[in-house]
Amino acid sequence: MKKNLLLLFALTIGSCLQAQDIILSDNLSTLTVGDIGTDLTGTTPGQGGYTTYVAANGANSDFQIVDEGGTHGNAIQITGSATAADARLMSKDVSAGWGLRTAGNDFAELDYEFYTGNATTSENTMSIILLDAGGTKILAGLRITLNTLLVQGWANYNNAGTINNYVFDLGAGGTAVNLAPNTWYKLGVSFNFATGQFIFREANGLFDVGAIGAAAGVNVAQLYFVASPSATNAVAGVGVFDNINLKASSTDTLLGVAKNVIASDKFSVYPNP
């Protein structure tokens, strides 16, 4: 009987493992503290295969590997603009891994940790998003506004007949959700290639919402970090990211919590800024 139970357990574990393909798993421990890249044109990969881009008035030091100490160690630090212009972009091509995923593993599930840092007046937003190959469709992503620590979802969506990249408030009834300062958060987004469904989730249940988007059948191609200033920004701001994971799964397992498709009427929807 014990042998049969052990065999059943092994087969179950094997089945679970086969249901996922790891596309990216990076705790950044193998990277060196200092600049991530040496080129701001977005063409020459730097550490970890990440490319960095600033149209003007940027520096390689805007994209850093820093030692956060404690249990985190190395992390990515992006410094946003001190003006109302010149967004900072860092990307990694994940199209090959996505293209080689097991048939039926259509959930692209991205999770990461974000440190909110000290209170600031910076009006930069810090985002991680999954993009299509053309760089025009946000399949799923989250952005955090530094001065308010408002966290919002981002996705390609059909809003009453108009398809665009929209921003979504994530609280109950479409209300705002604000994070706490000086706190690490475990955040996740997913995109279902087969249906267009996107999900936004926080590990402790601060938010857990999603809807059917407008990008069904669009392949995941790029992982983007974006530090973008508002039209009135005048202060630089810092975002810190760690433990970045992207996998392809056959079911919704984002942050280890299986859920059903979530109704879109929980959202407040805003045009892409």
Side-chain angles (χ1 to χ4, degrees), residues 143-167:
R143 74 173 195 177
I144 297 165
T145 304
L146 293 182
N147 63 333
T148 61
L149 293 180
L150 173 69
V151 57
Q152 294 173 301
W154 226 358
N156 195 251
Y157 184 69
N158 186 340
N159 184 28
T162 302
I163 297 175
N164 201 345
N165 297 321
Y166 289 96
V167 175

Side-chain angles (χ1 to χ4, degrees), residues 23 25 27 38 50 89 100 122 141-142 153 156 166-167 180 188 202 226-227 233 236 239 263 268-269:
I23 299 173
S25 181
N27 64 8
T38 58
Y50 293 100
L89 306 175
L100 292 172
S122 175
L142 288 170
N156 195 251
Y166 289 96
V167 175
E202 190 273 333
V226 183
N233 178 64
S268 291
V269 181

